[in-house]
Amino acid sequence: MTEQQLREALVDLYEEFKEEMGFEEFADRLDFWIDKDDRILIEARGMKPVEGIKEIGHVDNGVIYAY
């Protein structure tokens, strides 16, 4: 995954929260995971999805990191 792909996933999810907070505030401290079907999962920092789900990135201080 690239930072751009993760940003696109965040923008889609952010639509539900845009009236409540800014994008950077929303995105900060989120982790990205990918499941066996290559779907991106977005969770709050520290949440650990079930076994077999791979961590692929995170957001910190408004910066998206993909790995």
Side-chain angles (χ1 to χ4, degrees):
M1 288 287 142
T2 67
E3 284 88 357
Q4 183 60 35
Q5 289 170 305
L6 298 180
R7 178 174 294 283
E8 289 170 9
L10 273 179
V11 168
D12 289 342
L13 183 61
Y14 175 64
E15 287 298 312
E16 299 176 34
F17 299 92
K18 67 181 180 182
E19 299 297 322
E20 301 171 30
M21 63 186 77
F23 182 75
E24 286 186 10
E25 180 184 1
F26 165 76
D28 203 29
R29 299 187 178 267
L30 292 176
D31 290 334
F32 299 98
W33 304 80
I34 195 162
D35 69 11
K36 64 182 176 168
D37 296 321
D38 291 331
R39 291 181 293 206
I40 297 173
L41 309 172
I42 302 171
E43 299 287 344
R45 179 78 37 89
M47 300 297 292
K48 300 292 180 192
V50 296
E51 188 174 320
I53 306 297
K54 180 182 172 190
E55 187 173 13
I56 58 168
H58 71 276
V59 182
D60 199 19
N61 295 320
V63 179
I64 298 172
Y65 298 92
Y67 33 88

